[in-house]
Amino acid sequence: MDRMNRMFRMNRRGQALVEVAIVAPLLLLLLGVSADFGRVFFISNTVTNAAREGALFASHHAAEYSLDAGVTLDSNTRSIIQQEERGSFLAIQCPGALQITISRSGAVVSGPPGIDETVAVTCDVPSLLPFLPLPKTFHTQSQSRSLVVNYDS
């Protein structure tokens, strides 16, 4: 009888080891996928904030530049967007280069005289788990519009 109890206890220990061997990889996979999506979401928020800051800078500093000198305003807007992206919390940045597009439409018909400006920021974020059947690259894009008003005219 004593021998049967010992064998039964040994079998129970082996059963627990098999259960851990089955469940541990699934839990690690779930943890990895959660961390990957969390990182992509955080970078997406950073891209959105960078686009918003670029549009805000362009609308607030239009009086310092003539609207004809859009190149200077664009280059300064780009540098503000890149500073916002680099200065993000915990320095989680876009792994590649940010694609920044600044476009202006014609003069606004109603309201104060100015130009409607759109700032679009795009970032491609590679997956941390390329062996999974998930997208290999996540594409994040944000667009922000502002009205660039020149009060001097």
Side-chain angles (χ1 to χ4, degrees):
M1 186 71 140
D2 197 30
R3 185 174 177 188
M4 289 289 282
N5 283 339
R6 270 188 283 159
M7 284 181 62
F8 181 69
R9 274 184 271 155
M10 289 176 76
N11 286 341
R12 299 276 292 180
R13 277 188 251 158
Q15 176 188 355
L17 186 61
V18 169
E19 287 175 1
V20 168
I22 291 172
V23 172
L26 294 175
L27 288 176
L28 288 174
L29 184 65
L30 184 64
L31 180 69
V33 168
S34 299
D36 201 15
F37 279 120
R39 182 180 69 101
V40 170
F41 182 72
F42 191 85
I43 290 174
S44 176
N45 281 342
T46 301
V47 166
T48 300
N49 289 339
R52 190 178 301 128
E53 284 296 316
L56 187 67
F57 176 82
S59 66
H60 282 234
H61 292 83
E64 297 174 17
Y65 307 99
S66 74
L67 291 177
D68 298 330
V71 175
T72 308
L73 183 61
D74 286 357
S75 64
N76 287 343
T77 303
R78 286 176 195 279
S79 68
I80 290 295
I81 290 170
Q82 290 165 346
Q83 286 174 11
E84 177 68 24
E85 189 255 344
R86 278 193 303 266
S88 66
F89 179 68
L90 295 177
I92 296 179
Q93 303 168 2
C94 178
L98 288 176
Q99 291 92 29
I100 302 168
T101 307
I102 301 171
S103 60
R104 290 183 183 83
S105 65
V108 177
V109 176
S110 63
I115 294 177
D116 188 23
E117 180 173 84
T118 302
V119 176
V121 180
T122 305
C123 175
D124 292 327
V125 183
S127 175
L128 291 176
L129 306 168
F131 54 87
L132 292 179
L134 295 172
K136 303 297 182 226
T137 306
F138 297 97
H139 182 77
T140 63
Q141 181 176 7
S142 180
Q143 219 173 21
S144 188
R145 293 180 63 193
S146 67
L147 177 64
V148 180
V149 179
N150 189 356
Y151 289 107
D152 295 337
S153 56

